[in-house]
Amino acid sequence: MSYFLLDDYANMEPYLPGEQPEGKWIKLNANESALPPSPAVLKILNEAEYEGMGFYSDPHCHKLRQAIGEVYGFDEKNVFVGNGADEVLAFCMMSFFRKGMKIAFPDITYDFYRTYATTYNLDFTQFPLNDDFTINVDDYVDYDGDVILANPNNPTGIAISVSEIERIVKKNPERMVIIDEAYVDYGNESCIPLVRKYDNLLVVQTFSKSRNMAGARIGFAIANEDMITDMNKIKFAFNPFNMSSLAIEAGAAAARDVDYWQKCIHQVCDVRDAFEKDLKKLGFDVINTTTNFTFITHPHFSATYLFKELKKRHILVRHYDTPRINNYLRITIGSFDVMLKVLYAIKEIVGEGYESPDQ
Amino acid sequence: MSYFLLDDYANMEPYLPGEQPEGKWIKLNANESALPPSPAVLKILNEAEYEGMGFYSDPHCHKLRQAIGEVYGFDEKNVFVGNGADEVLAFCMMSFFRKGMKIAFPDITYDFYRTYATTYNLDFTQFPLNDDFTINVDDYVDYDGDVILANPNNPTGIAISVSEIERIVKKNPERMVIIDEAYVDYGNESCIPLVRKYDNLLVVQTFSKSRNMAGARIGFAIANEDMITDMNKIKFAFNPFNMSSLAIEAGAAAARDVDYWQKCIHQVCDVRDAFEKDLKKLGFDVINTTTNFTFITHPHFSATYLFKELKKRHILVRHYDTPRINNYLRITIGSFDVMLKVLYAIKEIVGEGYESPDQ
C-alpha cells in the first residue's frame, strides 16, 4: 500500500478473477463462449477501423446505443453503454450510491456486488437463498433499501419471473432496483419492458455471453431517460471517451445481427441440455439452469475431488470455496466436441457404474 | 436529473467534448492523428482476435504493461494501463483523492482536471499562467497540496523542464505530483526517469497522440510499485476487465514498434515547423509549441473571426471562449497535404498582404 491510498478503502475485499492458466486448457470456469461473434464483427475488424484509429471515438457512443435501442424497442436516450457490464454497474453505483446507503443482494450471487459494496462502504445486506437456491422474493419486497439481483442468478443459474421482479420494483418507487441480466438470453424472459412502467428499474446486460464478445468488453443498461442521463454525466466527468471506436462499431454490428446470436444461443442450449442429461445418468444432481453453464453436485464425489481430477486432465471448471455451495461445480457450456471430452473425463473419474438403472 | 442522482454531484460542471460535426470536414480541433497506427496493429486486427473474442481479456493486462515497461526500462509492476489517459487519471483520483483534498493546476490547461475536481468536490487552486503562458513553477513548489500538470501544457503547447518538475516533486515527499505527458513525444524530455528517485511522482501518457491510436483508447501511468498496486486494486473493485483483448494486443504491438512511432513524430514535427513558418509570414504570433498542434493569434484578425471563416471552409479548429486565450486558435497538425489546404484557406482569409517584408 502506498502512502497515498485513501483510508476509505480499508474494508476493501480483494477481487479474485477466475484462474487464467498458461498453456493448453479446456477453460470452462468463466462462462465464456467458444463461438465467434457475428461475422459482421470480422468485417468491421478487417475494414475501416485501422486507417481512422488516430481519431477519437464518439464519447456519446451513439451508434452502439442506437443499435441496442432498436433491438429492444427503446430510444438511445434510454441506453447507457460501457466497457463490460461491470463498468456499467460501476457507473450506476457511482451515480446513485454513496457510503452508508442500503443495498441488498443474495448471500450466493455474482461476487462483484459484494466487492463493490465493501470497497465503497455501502450498508449491504445479503439475504440467504432458500435451501433449493431459489431467491426468497419477499425478503427484497419488504427490505427498506435498494436492491441488486442477478437474474438468472450466478452461479446457481436459477431465474425468478418478471412478475416477481415487478413486485419488488412496484412496492417502493423510491427504491432503485438493478437487475443484472447477463445470462437472460439462454431461455428466460427479460424485464426490460418493465422499464416503460417504472422509473426506479435499471436493467443491465452484457455482450460477453450470448453475443460471444467477452474479450471486446461491451455492456449496457436500459432505464428511464433521466437515470441514463445522470450516468452519462458521471461518465463524462470520469472518462468521457470510455469506449473504443472498435467496440462501438463491432458492438453495433453484433447487436443488430439478432439472427446470428439467437442461433448461437440455441446451439449452446442444445449442448447444455444434452450434457445435463448425460450428467444425470452419471448420478449428478443438476440444478435446473437457464444459462450457458450448468451447476452440479454428486452424492458420492466431493466437488473438490472432481475439480482436482478435472484439472489433472487440463479441464478447468469453477469451484467456490464458499459455505452451502462448496460441494458444487459450475461448468461453462463449451462446444459439442469440448463437452464430449469433458463428459468422457467425468465418466473416467466417477466410473461408468453411476449410470442410472433405467438406462 | 433523476430522483436517484447523489447530491454530492451538485457542483459538477458539464464536460463538453470537442465538436464532432457530421459530413466531410478537415478536423483539426482535437489534436488527433491522420496517420495510421503501426502496421503491427493491422496484423493484430486481421488475425487472432476475432475467433477468440468469446473469451475474457486479461484483467491484469500483463502483455500491454510488459511492452510499455520494456520501452521505458521499467518492470510491469510500475505500469498501470486504462482506456485512455483520462481513465488512468480517473483511477488515480479515485485511489488517492477524496472530497476536500487540495490539488493545484494552472488556470489555462486541460479541461478535464477542473471537470474532475468539481465533480468530486476537491479543494482545487488554479494558479494563473504567466503573461507569456509559461507556468510559474514556484507557485507549485510552495503550494501545500497535491499538483497536477500537463507537460507540455495544453492548449498552449509550452513545456517546463524535467529539472523544474523535480523541484516540485522534491520539495515535499508527502505531496503527490501527477505529470500528464500526453504531448511529450513531440520534442520534449519525459520525466519518467524521475520515478526511480521519487515515490510521490506519477507520470501519465497516452497512445492517442504519438502512437496515432486515439480511437483505441489506451493510456498508461508509470509510478512506484505501491502506487500502481493501489490503483490496480481500485480498478479491480470498479471494473476488473477494463481493457479489451484488442486494446491489449494492439497496444502492446504498437508500443514495441518504436521506430514506427518515432518516424511518425518526426513527420508531424516537420509539417508543424513548416506550417508555423508560413503562419509567421502571414503575420501570426506563434507560440513556440513542442506538440502536435500549434497555438496562434493574429494582431489584426480576431480568433472568433478566423474560426468562423475556417469553419465556412469546412476546416474545424479549436477556439476557447475563455479569458486570456479567447483570441487564440489551437490547430492540430494534420498531414502535409491537409496543412497546405489550411494554409491556403488562411491566406484567403487574412490576405497575402501580411507576408512579412523580409520575404
Side-chain angles (χ1 to χ4, degrees):
Chain A
M1 204 178 81
S2 77
Y3 171 81
F4 298 100
L5 185 67
L6 297 179
D7 53 19
D8 305 45
Y9 299 121
N11 298 327
M12 179 163 68
E13 293 178 7
Y15 171 90
L16 297 172
E19 208 173 341
Q20 309 226 5
E22 294 284 320
K24 240 185 135 49
W25 285 80
I26 292 181
K27 195 171 170 298
L28 302 174
N29 66 334
N31 300 340
E32 292 156 316
S33 171
L35 297 168
S38 159
V41 171
L42 184 60
K43 225 177 133 200
I44 298 281
L45 294 185
N46 283 343
E47 284 172 14
E49 284 309 304
Y50 171 72
E51 287 293 337
M53 205 178 266
F55 291 86
Y56 281 98
S57 50
D58 169 18
H60 303 284
C61 308
H62 286 306
K63 219 167 175 176
L64 179 56
R65 292 166 65 202
Q66 277 159 11
I68 294 166
E70 275 171 33
V71 171
Y72 292 93
F74 280 85
D75 191 274
E76 68 162 305
K77 287 177 185 153
N78 296 101
V79 183
F80 180 89
V81 293
N83 291 298
D86 287 349
E87 191 184 75
V88 173
L89 284 168
F91 279 126
C92 167
M93 293 289 182
M94 195 185 235
S95 304
F96 307 122
F97 291 81
R98 74 154 74 80
K99 189 175 170 171
M101 279 176 70
K102 297 183 78 170
I103 190 164
F105 46 87
D107 61 338
I108 297 166
T109 192
Y110 182 38
D111 287 341
F112 187 67
Y113 312 147
R114 194 185 153 92
T115 298
Y116 199 98
T118 59
T119 306
Y120 297 97
N121 298 297
L122 305 184
D123 176 7
F124 63 97
T125 299
Q126 292 191 273
F127 289 116
L129 295 180
N130 296 321
D131 287 343
D132 63 357
F133 296 146
T134 55
I135 285 174
N136 182 15
V137 175
D138 287 333
D139 287 342
Y140 301 90
V141 174
D142 298 337
Y143 179 67
D144 64 338
D146 297 330
V147 167
I148 182 164
L149 292 175
N151 194 48
N153 198 9
N154 172 17
T156 64
I158 300 174
I160 53 174
S161 69
V162 170
S163 59
E164 289 290 81
I165 289 170
E166 186 167 7
R167 282 212 294 136
I168 305 170
V169 178
K170 197 176 182 173
K171 175 70 184 287
N172 179 0
E174 294 184 5
R175 177 218 320 274
M176 177 174 290
V177 178
I178 304 161
I179 304 295
D180 178 350
E181 295 192 332
Y183 298 101
V184 78
D185 291 328
Y186 299 96
N188 310 275
E189 203 186 342
S190 167
C191 65
I192 287 177
L194 288 185
V195 166
R196 292 190 204 290
K197 279 172 76 178
Y198 300 100
D199 286 348
N200 58 329
L201 172 66
L202 185 117
V203 186
V204 177
Q205 286 199 15
T206 178
F207 279 48
S208 299
K209 310 300 173 188
S210 56
R211 279 78 164 189
N212 315 318
M213 290 173 78
R217 315 306 305 123
I218 305 173
F220 64 94
I222 294 188
N224 85 79
E225 188 182 328
D226 287 345
M227 270 206 264
I228 298 299
T229 305
D230 289 344
M231 285 172 66
N232 267 316
K233 271 188 207 155
I234 298 304
K235 185 199 90 160
F236 270 94
F238 187 85
N239 186 21
F241 298 84
N242 64 326
M243 299 195 77
S244 71
S245 312
L246 265 167
I248 293 171
E249 294 286 339
R256 285 211 166 86
D257 197 352
V258 180
D259 287 349
Y260 177 79
W261 52 272
Q262 292 292 345
K263 203 180 71 185
C264 292
I265 289 166
H266 286 300
Q267 202 171 318
V268 170
C269 291
D270 287 350
V271 175
R272 176 192 69 201
D273 294 346
F275 183 65
E276 289 186 343
K277 203 173 153 194
D278 286 330
L279 288 175
K280 282 176 189 163
K281 287 186 204 163
L282 293 169
F284 281 89
D285 284 335
V286 177
I287 301 285
N288 191 17
T289 64
T290 48
T291 56
N292 71 340
F293 58 84
T294 189
F295 195 57
I296 58 170
T297 186
H298 197 284
H300 306 304
F301 296 91
S302 77
T304 316
Y305 174 76
L306 293 169
F307 176 82
K308 281 185 191 156
E309 285 297 318
L310 285 168
K311 202 166 175 181
K312 273 188 203 163
R313 291 162 177 83
H314 269 231
I315 296 169
L316 197 62
V317 301
R318 191 75 181 255
H319 176 237
Y320 293 85
D321 195 13
T322 310
R324 300 180 71 197
I325 57 166
N326 54 12
N327 206 28
Y328 282 79
L329 293 180
R330 192 191 72 181
I331 305 181
T332 305
I333 303 303
S335 70
F336 183 78
D337 291 353
V338 161
M339 297 325 280
L340 262 187
K341 278 184 201 163
V342 176
L343 197 68
Y344 182 81
I346 292 176
K347 270 186 183 165
E348 206 177 70
I349 299 163
V350 306
E352 295 280 351
Y354 284 93
E355 196 128 353
S356 71
D358 61 316
Q359 293 300 312
Chain B
M1 204 179 81
S2 77
Y3 171 80
F4 298 99
L5 185 67
L6 298 179
D7 53 19
D8 305 46
Y9 298 121
N11 298 328
M12 178 162 68
E13 293 178 8
Y15 171 90
L16 296 172
E19 208 172 341
Q20 307 227 5
E22 296 282 322
K24 241 187 134 47
W25 284 80
I26 292 180
K27 196 171 169 299
L28 302 173
N29 66 334
N31 300 341
E32 292 156 318
S33 169
L35 298 168
S38 159
V41 171
L42 184 60
K43 223 176 136 200
I44 298 282
L45 295 185
N46 283 342
E47 285 172 12
E49 285 309 303
Y50 170 72
E51 289 293 336
M53 206 179 266
F55 291 85
Y56 281 98
S57 50
D58 169 18
H60 302 284
C61 308
H62 286 306
K63 218 167 176 175
L64 179 55
R65 293 165 64 202
Q66 276 160 9
I68 293 167
E70 277 172 32
V71 172
Y72 291 94
F74 280 86
D75 190 274
E76 67 163 306
K77 288 177 186 153
N78 296 101
V79 183
F80 179 90
V81 293
N83 291 296
D86 287 349
E87 192 184 75
V88 174
L89 285 168
F91 279 125
C92 168
M93 293 287 181
M94 195 184 234
S95 305
F96 308 121
F97 291 81
R98 74 155 74 80
K99 189 173 169 171
M101 279 175 71
K102 298 183 78 169
I103 190 164
F105 45 88
D107 61 339
I108 297 166
T109 191
Y110 182 36
D111 287 340
F112 187 67
Y113 313 146
R114 193 185 154 93
T115 298
Y116 199 98
T118 59
T119 306
Y120 298 96
N121 299 297
L122 306 184
D123 176 8
F124 63 97
T125 298
Q126 292 190 274
F127 288 116
L129 295 180
N130 296 321
D131 287 343
D132 62 357
F133 296 146
T134 54
I135 286 174
N136 182 13
V137 175
D138 288 332
D139 287 341
Y140 301 90
V141 174
D142 298 336
Y143 178 66
D144 65 339
D146 297 330
V147 167
I148 182 165
L149 292 174
N151 193 49
N153 199 8
N154 172 16
T156 63
I158 300 173
I160 54 175
S161 69
V162 169
S163 60
E164 288 290 80
I165 290 170
E166 187 167 9
R167 282 213 293 137
I168 305 170
V169 178
K170 197 176 184 174
K171 175 69 183 287
N172 178 1
E174 294 185 6
R175 178 219 318 275
M176 178 175 290
V177 179
I178 304 162
I179 303 295
D180 178 351
E181 296 192 332
Y183 298 100
V184 78
D185 292 327
Y186 299 95
N188 310 275
E189 204 187 341
S190 168
C191 63
I192 287 178
L194 288 186
V195 167
R196 292 190 203 290
K197 280 174 72 178
Y198 300 101
D199 285 347
N200 58 330
L201 171 66
L202 184 117
V203 186
V204 178
Q205 286 200 14
T206 179
F207 279 49
S208 298
K209 309 301 172 189
S210 56
R211 279 80 163 188
N212 315 317
M213 290 175 79
R217 314 308 305 123
I218 305 172
F220 65 93
I222 294 187
N224 85 80
E225 188 182 328
D226 287 345
M227 270 206 264
I228 298 300
T229 304
D230 289 343
M231 286 173 66
N232 268 316
K233 272 189 206 155
I234 298 303
K235 184 198 91 160
F236 271 94
F238 187 85
N239 186 22
F241 298 84
N242 64 326
M243 299 195 77
S244 72
S245 312
L246 266 167
I248 293 170
E249 294 286 339
R256 285 210 167 87
D257 198 353
V258 180
D259 286 349
Y260 178 79
W261 54 269
Q262 292 292 346
K263 203 180 71 184
C264 292
I265 289 165
H266 285 301
Q267 202 171 317
V268 169
C269 291
D270 287 350
V271 175
R272 176 193 69 202
D273 294 347
F275 183 64
E276 289 185 343
K277 201 172 155 194
D278 285 330
L279 287 175
K280 283 176 189 162
K281 286 187 204 163
L282 293 169
F284 281 89
D285 285 335
V286 177
I287 301 286
N288 191 17
T289 64
T290 47
T291 56
N292 71 340
F293 58 85
T294 187
F295 195 56
I296 58 170
T297 187
H298 197 285
H300 306 305
F301 297 91
S302 76
T304 317
Y305 174 76
L306 293 169
F307 177 81
K308 281 184 190 156
E309 286 296 318
L310 285 168
K311 200 165 176 181
K312 272 188 203 164
R313 291 159 177 84
H314 268 231
I315 296 169
L316 198 61
V317 301
R318 193 74 181 256
H319 175 237
Y320 293 84
D321 195 12
T322 310
R324 302 179 70 197
I325 56 166
N326 54 12
N327 207 28
Y328 282 79
L329 293 180
R330 191 191 72 181
I331 306 181
T332 305
I333 303 302
S335 69
F336 183 78
D337 291 352
V338 161
M339 298 325 280
L340 263 188
K341 279 184 200 162
V342 176
L343 197 70
Y344 181 82
I346 292 176
K347 270 186 184 166
E348 206 176 69
I349 299 163
V350 306
E352 295 279 352
Y354 283 93
E355 197 131 353
S356 73
D358 61 317
Q359 292 299 314

